[in-house]
Coordinates of all heavy atoms in Angstrom, one line a residue:
M1 N 105.3 92.7 79.9 CA 105.7 94.0 80.4 C 104.6 94.7 81.1 O 103.4 94.7 80.6 CB 106.3 94.8 79.3 CG 107.7 95.2 79.6 SD 108.1 96.7 78.7 CE 108.8 96.0 77.2
T2 N 104.8 95.3 82.2 CA 103.8 96.0 82.9 C 103.9 97.5 82.7 O 105.0 98.0 82.6 CB 103.8 95.7 84.4 OG1 105.2 96.0 84.9 CG2 103.5 94.2 84.7
T3 N 102.7 98.1 82.7 CA 102.7 99.6 82.5 C 102.6 100.2 83.9 O 101.7 99.9 84.7 CB 101.4 100.0 81.7 OG1 101.2 99.0 80.8 CG2 101.6 101.3 81.0
P4 N 103.5 101.1 84.2 CA 103.5 101.7 85.6 C 102.2 102.3 86.0 O 101.8 102.3 87.1 CB 104.7 102.7 85.5 CG 105.5 102.3 84.4 CD 104.6 101.6 83.4
T5 N 101.6 103.0 85.0 CA 100.3 103.7 85.3 C 99.2 102.7 85.7 O 98.3 103.1 86.4 CB 99.8 104.5 84.1 OG1 99.9 103.7 83.0 CG2 100.7 105.8 84.0
R6 N 99.3 101.5 85.3 CA 98.2 100.5 85.7 C 98.4 100.0 87.1 O 97.6 99.2 87.5 CB 98.2 99.3 84.7 CG 98.0 99.8 83.2 CD 96.6 100.3 83.1 NE 95.6 99.3 83.1 CZ 94.3 99.6 83.2 NH1 93.9 100.8 83.3 NH2 93.4 98.6 83.3
Q7 N 99.5 100.3 87.7 CA 99.8 99.8 89.1 C 99.2 100.7 90.2 O 99.5 100.5 91.3 CB 101.3 99.6 89.2 CG 101.8 98.5 88.3 CD 103.3 98.3 88.4 OE1 104.0 99.1 89.1 NE2 103.8 97.3 87.8
A8 N 98.4 101.6 89.8 CA 97.8 102.5 90.8 C 96.8 101.8 91.6 O 96.5 102.2 92.7 CB 97.2 103.7 90.1
T9 N 96.3 100.6 91.1 CA 95.3 99.9 91.9 C 95.9 98.5 92.2 O 96.7 97.9 91.5 CB 94.0 99.7 91.2 OG1 94.2 99.0 89.9 CG2 93.3 101.1 90.9
T10 N 95.4 97.9 93.3 CA 95.7 96.5 93.7 C 94.4 95.9 94.1 O 93.5 96.6 94.4 CB 96.7 96.5 94.9 OG1 96.1 97.3 95.9 CG2 98.0 97.0 94.6
P11 N 94.3 94.5 94.0 CA 93.1 93.9 94.4 C 92.8 94.0 95.9 O 93.7 93.9 96.7 CB 93.3 92.4 93.9 CG 94.7 92.2 93.7 CD 95.3 93.6 93.5
C12 N 91.6 94.2 96.2 CA 91.2 94.3 97.6 C 91.4 92.9 98.2 O 91.1 91.9 97.6 CB 89.7 94.6 97.7 SG 89.0 94.4 99.3
P13 N 92.1 92.8 99.4 CA 92.4 91.5 100.0 C 91.2 90.7 100.4 O 91.2 89.5 100.6 CB 93.3 91.8 101.2 CG 93.0 93.2 101.5 CD 92.6 93.9 100.2
C14 N 90.0 91.4 100.4 CA 88.8 90.7 100.8 C 88.0 90.2 99.6 O 87.7 89.1 99.5 CB 88.0 91.6 101.7 SG 86.6 90.9 102.4
C15 N 87.6 91.2 98.8 CA 86.7 90.8 97.7 C 87.4 90.8 96.3 O 86.7 90.5 95.3 CB 85.5 91.8 97.7 SG 86.0 93.5 97.2
R16 N 88.7 91.1 96.2 CA 89.4 91.1 95.0 C 89.1 92.2 94.0 O 89.5 92.1 92.8 CB 89.3 89.7 94.3 CG 89.7 88.6 95.2 CD 91.2 88.5 95.4 NE 91.5 87.8 96.6 CZ 92.6 87.8 97.3 NH1 93.6 88.6 96.9 NH2 92.8 87.2 98.4
Q17 N 88.2 93.1 94.4 CA 87.9 94.2 93.5 C 89.1 95.2 93.5 O 89.9 95.3 94.5 CB 86.7 95.0 94.0 CG 85.4 94.2 93.9 CD 85.0 93.9 92.4 OE1 85.0 94.8 91.6 NE2 84.8 92.7 92.1
P18 N 89.4 95.9 92.3 CA 90.5 96.8 92.3 C 90.3 98.0 93.3 O 89.2 98.4 93.4 CB 90.6 97.3 90.9 CG 89.5 96.7 90.2 CD 88.7 95.8 91.1
K19 N 91.3 98.3 94.0 CA 91.2 99.5 94.9 C 92.5 100.3 94.8 O 93.5 99.8 94.3 CB 91.1 98.9 96.4 CG 92.2 98.1 96.8 CD 92.4 98.0 98.3 CE 93.7 97.2 98.7 NZ 94.9 97.9 98.2
A20 N 92.5 101.5 95.3 CA 93.7 102.3 95.3 C 94.7 101.7 96.1 O 94.5 101.1 97.2 CB 93.3 103.7 95.8
R21 N 96.0 101.8 95.7 CA 97.1 101.2 96.4 C 97.3 101.7 97.8 O 97.7 101.0 98.7 CB 98.4 101.5 95.6 CG 99.6 100.7 95.9 CD 100.7 101.0 95.0 NE 100.8 100.0 93.9 CZ 101.4 98.8 94.0 NH1 101.8 98.4 95.2 NH2 101.5 98.0 93.0
S22 N 96.9 102.9 98.0 CA 97.1 103.5 99.3 C 96.1 103.1 100.4 O 96.2 103.3 101.6 CB 97.0 105.1 99.2 OG 95.8 105.4 98.6
L23 N 95.0 102.4 99.9 CA 94.0 101.9 100.8 C 94.2 100.4 101.2 O 94.7 99.7 100.4 CB 92.6 102.1 100.2 CG 92.2 103.5 99.8 CD1 90.9 103.4 99.0 CD2 92.1 104.4 100.9
Y24 N 93.8 100.1 102.4 CA 93.9 98.7 102.9 C 92.9 97.8 102.2 O 93.2 96.7 101.8 CB 93.7 98.6 104.4 CG 94.8 99.2 105.2 CD1 94.5 99.8 106.5 CD2 96.1 99.3 104.7 CE1 95.5 100.4 107.2 CE2 97.1 99.9 105.5 CZ 96.8 100.4 106.7 OH 97.8 101.0 107.5
L25 N 91.7 98.4 102.1 CA 90.5 97.6 101.5 C 89.8 98.5 100.5 O 90.0 99.7 100.6 CB 89.6 97.2 102.6 CG 90.1 96.3 103.7 CD1 89.0 96.2 104.8 CD2 90.4 94.9 103.1
C26 N 88.9 98.0 99.7 CA 88.1 98.8 98.8 C 87.1 99.5 99.7 O 86.9 99.1 100.8 CB 87.4 97.9 97.7 SG 86.1 96.9 98.4
S27 N 86.5 100.5 99.1 CA 85.6 101.4 100.0 C 84.4 100.6 100.5 O 83.9 100.8 101.6 CB 85.1 102.6 99.2 OG 84.5 102.2 98.0
L28 N 83.9 99.6 99.7 CA 82.8 98.8 100.2 C 83.2 98.0 101.4 O 82.5 97.9 102.4 CB 82.3 97.9 99.0 CG 80.9 97.3 99.2 CD1 79.9 98.4 98.9 CD2 80.7 96.2 98.2
C29 N 84.3 97.3 101.3 CA 84.8 96.4 102.5 C 85.1 97.3 103.7 O 84.8 97.0 104.8 CB 85.9 95.6 102.0 SG 85.5 94.3 100.9
W30 N 85.8 98.4 103.4 CA 86.2 99.3 104.4 C 85.0 99.8 105.2 O 85.0 99.9 106.4 CB 86.9 100.5 103.8 CG 87.5 101.5 104.8 CD1 87.0 102.8 105.0 CD2 88.6 101.4 105.7 NE1 87.7 103.4 106.0 CE2 88.7 102.6 106.4 CE3 89.5 100.3 105.9 CZ2 89.7 102.7 107.3 CZ3 90.5 100.5 106.8 CH2 90.6 101.7 107.5
G31 N 83.9 100.1 104.5 CA 82.7 100.6 105.1 C 82.0 99.5 106.0 O 81.2 99.8 106.8
T32 N 82.3 98.2 105.7 CA 81.7 97.1 106.5 C 82.5 96.9 107.8 O 81.9 96.3 108.7 CB 81.7 95.9 105.6 OG1 81.2 96.2 104.3 CG2 80.8 94.8 106.2
L33 N 83.7 97.3 107.9 CA 84.5 97.1 109.2 C 83.8 97.9 110.3 O 83.2 98.9 110.1 CB 85.9 97.7 109.0 CG 86.9 96.8 108.1 CD1 88.2 97.6 108.0 CD2 87.1 95.5 108.8
P34 N 84.0 97.4 111.5 CA 83.5 98.2 112.7 C 84.2 99.5 112.8 O 85.3 99.6 112.4 CB 83.8 97.3 113.9 CG 84.0 95.9 113.3 CD 84.5 96.1 111.9
G35 N 83.5 100.5 113.2 CA 84.0 101.9 113.3 C 85.3 101.9 114.1 O 86.3 102.6 113.7
L36 N 85.4 101.2 115.2 CA 86.6 101.2 116.0 C 87.8 100.6 115.3 O 88.9 101.1 115.4 CB 86.3 100.3 117.3 CG 87.1 100.7 118.5 CD1 86.6 102.1 119.1 CD2 86.9 99.7 119.6
T37 N 87.5 99.6 114.5 CA 88.6 98.9 113.7 C 89.1 99.9 112.6 O 90.3 100.1 112.4 CB 88.1 97.7 113.0 OG1 87.6 96.8 114.1 CG2 89.2 97.0 112.2
R38 N 88.1 100.6 112.0 CA 88.5 101.6 110.9 C 89.4 102.7 111.5 O 90.4 103.1 110.9 CB 87.2 102.2 110.3 CG 86.6 101.4 109.3 CD 85.8 102.3 108.3 NE 84.8 103.1 109.1 CZ 83.5 102.7 109.2 NH1 83.1 101.7 108.6 NH2 82.7 103.5 109.8
R39 N 89.0 103.2 112.7 CA 89.7 104.3 113.3 C 91.1 103.8 113.7 O 92.1 104.5 113.5 CB 89.0 104.7 114.6 CG 88.9 106.2 114.7 CD 87.9 106.7 115.7 NE 86.6 106.0 115.6 CZ 85.8 105.7 116.6 NH1 86.2 106.0 117.9 NH2 84.6 105.2 116.4
A40 N 91.2 102.6 114.2 CA 92.6 102.1 114.6 C 93.4 101.9 113.4 O 94.6 102.3 113.4 CB 92.4 100.8 115.3
L41 N 92.9 101.4 112.3 CA 93.6 101.1 111.1 C 94.0 102.4 110.4 O 95.0 102.5 109.7 CB 92.8 100.3 110.1 CG 92.7 98.8 110.4 CD1 91.6 98.1 109.5 CD2 94.0 98.1 110.3
S42 N 93.3 103.5 110.6 CA 93.6 104.8 110.0 C 94.7 105.5 110.6 O 95.3 106.4 110.1 CB 92.3 105.7 110.0 OG 91.3 105.1 109.4
R43 N 95.0 105.1 111.9 CA 96.1 105.7 112.6 C 97.5 105.3 112.0 O 97.7 104.1 111.9 CB 96.0 105.4 114.1 CG 96.3 106.6 115.0 CD 96.0 106.3 116.4 NE 94.6 105.9 116.6 CZ 94.3 104.8 117.3 NH1 95.2 104.0 117.8 NH2 93.1 104.4 117.4
R44 N 98.3 106.2 111.7 CA 99.6 105.9 111.1 C 100.7 106.1 112.2 O 101.3 107.1 112.3 CB 100.0 106.8 109.9 CG 98.9 106.8 108.9 CD 99.0 105.6 108.0 NE 97.8 105.4 107.2 CZ 97.9 105.0 105.9 NH1 99.0 104.8 105.3 NH2 96.7 104.9 105.2
D45 N 100.9 105.1 113.1 CA 101.9 105.2 114.1 C 102.8 103.9 114.0 O 102.7 103.2 113.0 CB 101.3 105.4 115.5 CG 100.3 104.3 115.8 OD1 100.4 103.2 115.2 OD2 99.5 104.5 116.8
S46 N 103.6 103.7 115.0 CA 104.5 102.6 115.0 C 103.8 101.2 115.0 O 104.4 100.2 114.6 CB 105.5 102.6 116.2 OG 104.8 102.6 117.4
K47 N 102.5 101.2 115.4 CA 101.8 99.9 115.4 C 101.0 99.7 114.1 O 100.3 98.7 114.0 CB 100.8 100.0 116.6 CG 101.5 99.8 118.0 CD 101.6 98.3 118.3 CE 102.5 98.0 119.4 NZ 102.2 98.4 120.7
A48 N 101.0 100.6 113.2 CA 100.2 100.6 112.0 C 100.4 99.2 111.2 O 99.5 98.6 110.8 CB 100.5 101.8 111.1
M49 N 101.7 98.8 111.1 CA 102.0 97.6 110.4 C 101.4 96.4 111.1 O 101.0 95.4 110.5 CB 103.5 97.4 110.3 CG 104.1 97.8 108.9 SD 102.9 97.5 107.7 CE 103.3 97.7 106.2
D50 N 101.5 96.4 112.5 CA 100.9 95.3 113.3 C 99.4 95.2 113.0 O 98.9 94.1 112.9 CB 101.2 95.5 114.7 CG 102.7 95.4 115.1 OD1 103.4 95.0 114.2 OD2 103.0 95.8 116.2
R51 N 98.8 96.3 113.0 CA 97.3 96.3 112.8 C 97.0 95.8 111.4 O 96.0 95.0 111.3 CB 96.7 97.7 112.9 CG 96.8 98.2 114.3 CD 95.9 99.5 114.4 NE 96.4 100.3 115.6 CZ 97.3 101.3 115.4 NH1 97.7 101.7 114.2 NH2 97.7 101.9 116.5
L52 N 97.7 96.2 110.4 CA 97.5 95.7 109.1 C 97.7 94.2 109.0 O 96.9 93.5 108.4 CB 98.5 96.4 108.1 CG 98.3 96.0 106.6 CD1 96.9 96.4 106.2 CD2 99.3 96.8 105.8
Q53 N 98.7 93.6 109.7 CA 98.9 92.2 109.7 C 97.7 91.5 110.4 O 97.3 90.4 110.0 CB 100.2 91.9 110.4 CG 101.4 92.0 109.4 CD 102.7 91.8 110.1 OE1 102.8 91.5 111.2 NE2 103.8 92.1 109.3
E54 N 97.2 92.1 111.5 CA 96.1 91.5 112.2 C 94.9 91.5 111.3 O 94.2 90.5 111.3 CB 95.7 92.4 113.4 CG 96.7 92.2 114.6 CD 96.2 93.1 115.8 OE1 95.2 92.7 116.4 OE2 96.8 94.1 116.0
L55 N 94.7 92.5 110.5 CA 93.6 92.6 109.6 C 93.7 91.5 108.6 O 92.8 90.7 108.3 CB 93.6 93.9 108.9 CG 92.6 94.1 107.7 CD1 91.2 94.1 108.1 CD2 92.9 95.4 106.9
H56 N 94.9 91.3 108.0 CA 95.1 90.3 106.9 C 95.0 88.9 107.5 O 94.5 88.0 106.8 CB 96.5 90.5 106.3 CG 96.4 91.7 105.3 ND1 97.5 92.1 104.6 CD2 95.4 92.4 104.9 CE1 97.2 93.1 103.8 NE2 95.9 93.3 103.9
R57 N 95.4 88.7 108.7 CA 95.3 87.4 109.3 C 93.9 87.0 109.5 O 93.5 85.8 109.2 CB 96.0 87.4 110.7 CG 96.8 86.1 111.0 CD 97.6 86.1 112.2 NE 97.5 87.2 113.1 CZ 98.5 88.0 113.4 NH1 99.7 87.9 113.0 NH2 98.3 89.0 114.3
Q58 N 93.0 87.9 109.9 CA 91.6 87.6 110.1 C 90.9 87.4 108.8 O 90.0 86.6 108.7 CB 91.0 88.7 111.0 CG 91.5 88.7 112.4 CD 91.1 89.9 113.2 OE1 90.0 90.0 113.7 NE2 92.0 90.9 113.3
L59 N 91.3 88.2 107.8 CA 90.7 88.0 106.5 C 91.0 86.6 105.9 O 90.2 85.9 105.4 CB 91.2 89.1 105.5 CG 90.7 90.5 105.6 CD1 91.4 91.4 104.7 CD2 89.2 90.6 105.4
A60 N 92.3 86.2 106.1 CA 92.7 84.9 105.7 C 92.0 83.8 106.4 O 91.8 82.7 105.8 CB 94.2 84.8 105.8
A61 N 91.6 84.1 107.6 CA 90.9 83.0 108.4 C 89.4 83.0 108.1 O 88.7 82.2 108.6 CB 91.1 83.3 109.9
G62 N 89.0 83.9 107.2 CA 87.6 83.9 106.8 C 86.7 84.6 107.7 O 85.5 84.4 107.7
R63 N 87.2 85.5 108.6 CA 86.4 86.1 109.6 C 85.5 87.2 108.9 O 86.0 87.9 108.0 CB 87.3 86.8 110.6 CG 86.6 87.3 111.8 CD 87.5 87.5 113.0 NE 86.7 87.6 114.2 CZ 87.1 88.0 115.3 NH1 88.4 88.4 115.5 NH2 86.3 88.1 116.4
P64 N 84.2 87.4 109.2 CA 83.4 88.4 108.6 C 84.0 89.8 108.9 O 84.4 90.0 110.0 CB 82.0 88.2 109.2 CG 82.0 86.8 109.8 CD 83.5 86.5 110.2
L65 N 83.9 90.7 107.9 CA 84.4 92.0 108.1 C 83.9 92.7 109.3 O 84.6 93.4 110.0 CB 84.1 92.8 106.8 CG 85.0 92.6 105.6 CD1 84.4 93.3 104.4 CD2 86.4 93.1 105.8
A66 N 82.6 92.5 109.5 CA 81.9 93.3 110.6 C 82.4 92.8 112.0 O 82.1 93.5 113.0 CB 80.4 93.0 110.5
E67 N 83.2 91.7 112.0 CA 83.6 91.2 113.3 C 85.1 91.4 113.5 O 85.7 90.9 114.5 CB 83.3 89.7 113.4 CG 81.8 89.4 113.6 CD 81.5 87.9 113.6 OE1 82.4 87.1 113.8 OE2 80.4 87.6 113.3
I68 N 85.8 92.0 112.5 CA 87.3 92.1 112.6 C 87.6 93.2 113.6 O 87.1 94.3 113.6 CB 87.8 92.3 111.2 CG1 87.7 91.1 110.4 CG2 89.3 92.8 111.3 CD1 88.3 91.1 109.0
Q69 N 88.6 92.8 114.5 CA 89.1 93.8 115.5 C 90.6 93.8 115.4 O 91.2 92.8 115.2 CB 88.6 93.4 116.9 CG 87.1 93.6 117.0 CD 86.6 93.1 118.4 OE1 87.2 92.3 119.0 NE2 85.5 93.7 118.8
V70 N 91.2 95.0 115.6 CA 92.6 95.1 115.7 C 93.0 95.8 117.0 O 92.2 96.4 117.6 CB 93.2 95.8 114.5 CG1 92.9 95.1 113.2 CG2 92.6 97.2 114.4
T71 N 94.3 95.8 117.3 CA 94.8 96.5 118.5 C 94.4 97.9 118.4 O 94.8 98.5 117.4 CB 96.3 96.3 118.6 OG1 96.6 94.9 118.4 CG2 96.9 96.8 119.9
P72 N 93.7 98.5 119.4 CA 93.4 99.9 119.3 C 94.6 100.8 119.3 O 95.6 100.5 119.8 CB 92.5 100.2 120.5 CG 92.3 98.9 121.2 CD 93.3 97.9 120.6
Ligands
ZN1 ZN1 86.8 94.7 99.0

């Protein structure tokens, strides 16, 4: 059985450290992303889901965080 209060965190898709559910990455990984990528990912518009998928695709491909780019 799972406790609802323990679900406030999820593992970071990059380093597997626990992070807040509302964040895409833990603060350490987030800080490693290029500024332009961070800014694009922070925007909550109709393309937000596409950008998240681009991020996850590149993480899955083993691309270094500092080189990840998403649709601006
Ligand atoms: Zn991380």
Side-chain angles (χ1 to χ4, degrees):
M1 237 205 268
T2 53
T3 327
T5 47
R6 301 294 287 166
Q7 292 178 353
T9 60
T10 53
C12 169
C14 185
C15 67
R16 306 287 159 198
Q17 291 296 307
K19 60 156 185 64
R21 193 175 263 283
S22 56
L23 302 174
Y24 293 150
L25 298 170
C26 73
S27 54
L28 199 73
C29 291
W30 182 254
T32 313
L33 285 175
L36 208 69
T37 303
R38 279 205 303 262
R39 227 168 306 147
L41 284 169
S42 302
R43 221 171 305 129
R44 307 277 168 141
D45 57 18
S46 58
K47 287 271 167 67
M49 259 331 189
D50 293 349
R51 290 192 206 97
L52 185 58
Q53 275 172 9
E54 285 182 72
L55 170 69
H56 281 177
R57 218 172 10 239
Q58 290 170 80
L59 285 175
R63 191 158 196 196
L65 282 169
E67 291 176 17
I68 288 182
Q69 292 176 336
V70 295
T71 310

